[in-house]
Amino acid sequence: MLSSRAATKASLSGTSTIRSLSVLSSSALSNHQKIIVSNNNNSPHYQQQRTIVGLVHAIDKRVYRWARGVLPPISKTENIALGCGTIGFDRDIFSGSPSLQHLIDTYTPKLSPEEQSYIDNQCTKLCSILNDHDVVTKKDFSKEAWDYMRDEKFFGMKIPKEWGGLGFSTHAVSCVLAKLATQCFDANATIAVPNSLGPGELLVRYGTDDQKEYFLPRLANGTLIPCFGLTGPHSGSDATSLIGSDCVVQKHPETGELGVMASFKKRYITLAPVAGVVGLGLNLSDPEGLLGGNGEEGFTVALLERGHKGLEMGPRHIPLSAAFMNGTVMGSDVWIPMTSILGGQERCGFGWNMFVECLAEGRGVSLPAGSIGAARSVVAGVGAYSRVRKQFRVPIAEFGGIQEAMAKAGSDGLITIAGGDVMNAIVDNHEAPMVISSVMKQNCTERGRRIVECGMDIAAGSAICRGDKNYLGNAYTSLPIAITVEGANIMTRSFQIIGQGLTRCHPHMSDLLKALQLPPSEEKQAVQTFVKQFHKIIGHGVSNFFGSVSKGIGATFSNTFRSKKAYKNGDDLLVFHEKQLLRLSNNFALTADLCFTLGGRLKFEELLMGRLADALGAIYLGYATLHHYHRRRGIEGLEELTEHAMLRLEREAQDALYVASENFPGPLGPVASTVMKMGCFPLGGLSRPYADPGDDLTKEVSRLLTTPSGLRDMFEEGIYSAPEGVMHQLTDLISALPICVEADNIATSLRREKREPTADETNLIAKADALRDALIQVDVFEHATAEEAQPGYVRPALLGTEERFASMEKTVFREAA
């Protein structure tokens, strides 16, 4: 996890004053009323007003001072984390009033002709060089593949053209990564790091002129492969700890040059075994004050090249069965001059600012791109396989269990693609949304895992036998890695998303926290801001309560009387589901307001925060799915798949909120639970109208995904397709699908019409049968290891059999008989 604990700790500590403030505010109002009564007949009206106003101000000041006293101190690192990144559509959801039209008008993912050409040509060529099974078996790419990635600037897609890079958009990088994932997940991971969290982007934004001139051209052309060293053995998902990665400002004992002496132990560092330069996260201290005000203590990034004295890079981890380079970065008493501090001496202590602002791309773009590639592969490949593969003389696509898994994979695939498109457009709009990027990382990598699990269930034996014909197995073992990196999904879901969101995205909480941190000299202004924002929080909760009630009742009736085929009208589809999302957003915003009743306990209520993260993720991805439909409407079958996806997302959000209302914790939990139920579900169970898609819709979605259709064509966009004549299982399945479907239709017609096939029909059926026979085969190997391939090698089990037979007189059945 990257800076999440700092941001979330600050977010949650800020809520610790809210619960008691409402009581004190009520007390102030009561005293206010008493003063009016007691002074009504004793003083002129203006005197009464002055007395009342003065007393109210005094009470406000006491409440403010009390709140400052109970607010846990917020560290410099936490303040930085809270101030980094941007807010936008996530804030709209927390306010309870997001707008689909605003999303449509503001964000449009698009590729330039140059970017599309690169995807069609260079990316396709790289895919053709890569053999996924060989890469995983040998645990490395070929020299040809490494050279091609370097020559065609795959490591420099985000570096501006002025420094020799490609200067591509975020959406283009996402599309490249997704296409690579359809052929080789290890290539996806290898190219993702330099184009997201590698030192390249940090250098562009913060590097000195000398650093830019030296490093950026070499990073762009692949001379230097980069990595970023942050996580240590004791860090895990708490990247703010930097335990065991320290440096002290010193002067070089011989030259007098100012620098730092560092010791560090990093692990899980992608590309470290082959990297030419590492961006190293260090905790800098300056006990002698040698910085002299130019730079500060704290998180600092150093740039060290391979071969730097004392730097140790090379040993590898092996993440599951993956082949991408991952390993350790270590050093003890390593001298680092100030010229090697990223940004120079003045950027000492500035690391979190750099890091957090570049974080959105790695978490919100690169990791979801792998899930997008998996979604396209499963829907296109497994969808075709389910028609090619027959059991009991029937394509397995006709079995209900297959249809259910196929429809789930399809709608999760649509959700992931739609979420990725909007996230890419947000980043290309020069935004760095920390909360949405966390939602994307956690939600889309989890959906990617589910998608591949559905594909594995359908493909069954053909998906577990390794070899060139297996296009799912390596994705199946790779996606759990994406779930653990850059902030484990469990922690991201149950701690970070809501912890950060309440402070960063709540419309009033951030200003209230800032007021509480102003110095005593600005107390007058601080009290005014504090009281104003506190009253706004109360008003915000009341507004969302009544909005939830009215929209909840409306949703109950609109769902009750809606036709099951209403989705076929695209305009009605958009209007209906936007209303449901607006209702759920009101419900979510009300629940977020009620979280303030927990005070500082919220940081320990991770079950509640996890459920709210589920609701927030479903709402955001619901809007993204409607955004996708608005842009791509006209595709055959898109209404059916969008309806299927929206019904599932609405059910997810509803269930998460309902379980939260049933288990709202804290001393005021029963009160908050009652308010939440009254607001979110005013008619009880009737106000929970969202249900999973019906069987008829599930069957129709599955049919569209397993037969030639515009919907299948949409998923096939961005998939690597091998040249004609080259054996490639995914390409061959997609090509065989229309032939096998046509042959099945002919066979059905022959049975119905009780006639013999024509010559052309006979040939087509024979061709389909031959394709089926070829495509259901799996790889078989004479030997599975290099040891087995050695001359004279006998498997230990067979050797034992020979030894036992050696002592027997009769060694075959016929002799014994």
Side-chain angles (χ1 to χ4, degrees):
M1 173 53 210
L2 309 175
S3 78
S4 63
R5 287 278 176 182
T8 314
K9 181 180 175 184
S11 304
L12 296 177
S13 65
T15 66
S16 63
T17 64
I18 298 299
R19 180 177 58 197
S20 298
L21 291 180
S22 59
V23 177
L24 289 171
S25 180
S26 299
S27 175
L29 179 59
S30 176
N31 288 332
H32 188 155
Q33 293 169 338
K34 290 177 182 178
I35 296 299
I36 291 176
V37 174
S38 64
N39 287 307
N40 190 39
N41 298 317
N42 298 328
S43 304
H45 185 63
Y46 78 91
Q47 226 174 13
Q48 295 175 28
Q49 287 182 322
R50 290 179 61 187
T51 303
I52 294 167
V53 171
L55 185 56
V56 170
H57 284 174
I59 293 172
D60 288 342
K61 187 181 293 186
R62 289 183 64 185
V63 173
Y64 169 80
R65 289 177 177 175
W66 173 83
R68 272 183 66 94
V70 300
L71 177 70
I74 298 178
S75 70
K76 175 186 172 182
T77 300
E78 291 165 347
N79 264 321
I80 290 171
L82 287 175
C84 291
T86 62
I87 53 176
F89 193 70
D90 40 7
R91 182 179 181 127
D92 295 341
I93 297 175
F94 271 86
S95 72
S97 56
S99 165
L100 176 61
Q101 191 59 51
H102 171 72
L103 202 65
I104 291 168
D105 293 341
T106 308
Y107 305 112
T108 303
K110 54 188 175 183
L111 297 170
S112 69
E114 179 187 7
E115 291 168 340
Q116 186 63 64
S117 174
Y118 189 88
I119 294 167
D120 293 340
N121 295 288
Q122 283 90 336
C123 190
T124 298
K125 174 65 175 178
L126 177 57
C127 288
S128 71
I129 294 173
L130 298 168
N131 180 296
D132 191 37
H133 176 65
D134 285 349
V135 169
V136 170
T137 301
K138 297 175 182 177
K139 293 291 181 285
D140 202 350
F141 302 118
S142 66
K143 177 70 163 46
E144 179 189 10
W146 280 111
D147 286 345
Y148 189 80
M149 286 187 276
R150 287 170 144 149
D151 293 342
E152 296 300 330
K153 303 183 179 182
F154 277 89
F155 300 133
M157 288 188 286
K158 290 290 288 183
I159 294 176
K161 290 183 178 181
E162 64 184 284
W163 296 110
L166 296 176
F168 278 178
S169 67
T170 298
H171 188 53
V173 173
S174 174
C175 290
V176 168
L177 295 176
K179 185 167 185 173
L180 289 171
T182 68
Q183 172 67 357
C184 178
F185 251 86
D186 291 299
N188 164 281
T190 298
I191 291 171
V193 169
N195 290 287
S196 55
L197 200 59
E201 185 136 357
L202 297 176
L203 278 162
V204 170
R205 297 191 187 190
Y206 304 109
T208 65
D209 290 342
D210 288 344
Q211 289 169 348
K212 290 178 181 179
E213 289 176 8
Y214 177 80
F215 284 107
L216 288 177
R218 290 165 175 79
L219 290 169
N221 65 25
T223 299
L224 290 175
I225 295 172
C227 69
F228 197 95
L230 182 68
T231 304
H234 299 284
S235 297
S237 292
D238 183 6
T240 64
S241 65
L242 287 176
I243 297 172
S245 297
D246 300 304
C247 65
V248 180
V249 180
Q250 296 181 2
K251 288 186 178 180
H252 194 281
E254 297 177 3
T255 65
E257 180 185 9
L258 193 63
V260 299
M261 188 66 73
S263 294
F264 44 87
K265 189 175 183 180
K266 307 290 188 180
R267 66 179 184 180
Y268 306 154
I269 310 304
T270 298
L271 295 185
V274 295
V277 60
V278 55
L280 200 61
L282 300 168
N283 184 31
L284 181 145
S285 60
D286 183 23
E288 299 179 23
L290 297 177
L291 290 176
N294 185 18
E296 300 177 3
E297 294 184 322
F299 180 28
T300 300
V301 178
L303 291 172
L304 301 184
E305 292 183 82
R306 179 177 288 272
H308 187 100
K309 186 176 180 180
L311 175 64
E312 300 175 25
M313 294 196 300
R316 290 182 68 175
H317 302 300
I318 302 178
L320 296 179
S321 63
F324 69 88
M325 293 291 169
N326 187 275
T328 59
V329 177
M330 295 185 289
S332 179
D333 295 329
V334 178
W335 170 256
I336 303 173
M338 281 296 168
T339 53
S340 293
I341 298 299
L342 201 156
Q345 181 179 335
E346 66 183 60
R347 293 293 185 179
C348 286
F350 199 73
W352 284 127
N353 301 70
M354 301 178 186
F355 196 68
V356 175
E357 290 181 9
C358 294
L359 179 59
E361 195 147 343
R363 305 192 80 220
V365 176
S366 297
L367 290 170
S371 295
I372 291 170
R376 295 189 184 281
S377 294
V378 168
V379 172
V382 177
Y385 178 84
S386 67
R387 286 289 168 188
V388 169
R389 176 65 165 163
K390 283 188 173 183
Q391 289 191 345
F392 311 110
R393 298 184 179 181
V394 177
I396 62 173
E398 298 298 326
F399 300 165
I402 301 294
Q403 293 168 344
E404 183 178 33
M406 199 69 234
K408 284 182 179 178
S411 57
D412 272 335
L414 173 65
I415 292 166
T416 303
I417 291 168
D421 283 352
V422 174
M423 181 67 196
N424 297 343
I426 289 174
V427 176
D428 280 332
N429 199 43
H430 310 293
E431 299 177 42
M434 301 308 300
V435 175
I436 288 181
S437 69
S438 297
V439 167
M440 283 293 296
K441 190 274 174 182
Q442 180 266 323
N443 213 299
C444 290
T445 54
E446 178 58 37
R447 289 184 193 276
R449 174 162 64 177
R450 295 178 197 168
I451 290 167
V452 175
E453 285 174 351
C454 286
M456 294 289 289
D457 287 349
I458 295 170
S462 67
I464 63 170
C465 292
R466 303 187 70 87
D468 292 341
K469 291 180 177 292
N470 190 332
Y471 57 95
L472 285 180
N474 292 333
Y476 179 71
T477 57
S478 294
L479 276 164
I481 301 172
I483 282 167
T484 69
V485 300
E486 295 196 31
N489 276 10
I490 285 181
M491 191 278 298
T492 302
R493 171 184 174 269
S494 63
F495 192 84
Q496 186 212 351
I497 292 173
I498 298 302
Q500 271 192 314
L502 278 173
T503 300
R504 292 289 286 138
C505 301
H506 192 283
H508 309 301
M509 187 62 188
S510 180
D511 289 338
L512 185 144
L513 270 181
K514 289 176 183 177
L516 289 172
Q517 296 177 74
L518 289 175
S521 60
E522 301 178 36
E523 184 178 71
K524 183 178 179 180
Q525 177 62 38
V527 171
Q528 293 175 356
T529 303
F530 170 79
V531 172
K532 180 180 178 181
Q533 296 306 319
F534 174 65
H535 289 163
K536 284 184 176 180
I537 289 174
I538 300 299
H540 185 260
V542 172
S543 173
N544 280 313
F545 175 82
F546 287 108
S548 289
V549 171
S550 62
K551 292 181 177 66
I553 294 173
T556 300
F557 287 100
S558 63
N559 276 272
T560 300
F561 297 107
R562 184 183 186 233
S563 166
K564 290 185 177 181
K565 300 292 185 181
Y567 65 82
K568 290 184 175 293
N569 183 307
D571 292 333
D572 290 346
L573 173 74
L574 286 170
V575 170
F576 174 79
H577 286 296
E578 184 181 9
K579 286 182 178 179
Q580 310 315 306
L581 291 177
L582 190 58
R583 175 262 175 114
L584 290 167
S585 297
N586 263 172
N587 295 166
F588 173 81
L590 169 63
T591 307
D593 289 334
L594 289 171
C595 285
F596 293 134
T597 64
L598 290 165
R601 281 194 54 171
L602 179 59
K603 69 176 72 176
F604 304 110
E605 300 296 347
E606 297 187 14
L607 293 176
L608 172 65
M609 289 196 288
R611 289 160 189 149
L612 296 188
D614 292 341
L616 176 62
I619 292 167
Y620 164 71
L621 291 169
Y623 275 102
T625 301
L626 294 183
H627 179 276
H628 178 274
Y629 175 76
H630 181 272
R631 290 187 301 107
R632 303 298 304 270
R633 64 187 302 178
I635 294 175
E636 174 198 2
L638 189 55
E639 286 78 15
E640 284 82 354
L641 186 59
T642 300
E643 173 79 358
H644 195 277
M646 291 305 302
L647 292 177
R648 292 181 65 207
L649 288 169
E650 288 156 6
R651 173 69 182 268
E652 287 178 22
Q654 170 190 270
D655 288 356
L657 291 168
Y658 177 67
V659 175
S661 73
E662 287 284 294
N663 295 275
F664 210 99
L668 295 178
V671 176
S673 176
T674 300
V675 173
M676 186 178 173
K677 289 178 180 178
M678 290 173 60
C680 297
F681 314 111
L683 300 179
L686 293 175
S687 296
R688 300 195 300 274
Y690 308 123
D692 288 333
D695 290 351
D696 289 343
L697 180 60
T698 293
K699 291 176 181 178
E700 179 60 13
V701 167
S702 178
R703 184 192 68 80
L704 288 162
L705 296 176
T706 60
T707 57
S709 67
L711 199 58
R712 274 191 57 84
D713 293 342
M714 183 190 79
F715 277 98
E716 289 173 16
E717 295 171 3
I719 284 182
Y720 168 64
S721 180
E724 187 175 352
V726 175
M727 194 287 292
H728 185 255
Q729 187 76 355
L730 183 57
T731 303
D732 294 343
L733 281 168
I734 293 171
S735 299
L737 175 63
I739 298 171
C740 291
V741 169
E742 186 178 356
D744 287 342
N745 290 338
I746 291 172
T748 300
S749 176
L750 294 176
R751 288 193 298 271
R752 184 177 58 250
E753 297 172 9
K754 297 180 180 180
R755 64 177 179 84
E756 295 297 315
T758 65
D760 289 341
E761 290 173 337
T762 299
N763 291 335
L764 183 63
I765 292 172
K767 183 178 181 180
D769 288 342
L771 286 171
R772 283 189 160 106
D773 183 65
L775 290 170
I776 65 170
Q777 302 302 319
V778 298
D779 293 284
V780 179
F781 300 92
E782 290 294 329
H783 52 81
T785 67
E787 185 180 7
E788 280 189 333
Q790 295 299 314
Y793 175 83
V794 179
R795 295 186 177 98
L798 294 178
L799 192 61
T801 301
E802 292 176 0
E803 291 172 351
R804 281 161 174 75
F805 269 124
S807 62
M808 297 180 184
E809 295 182 2
K810 298 179 179 180
T811 58
V812 295
F813 172 72
R814 294 178 67 85
E815 292 178 2

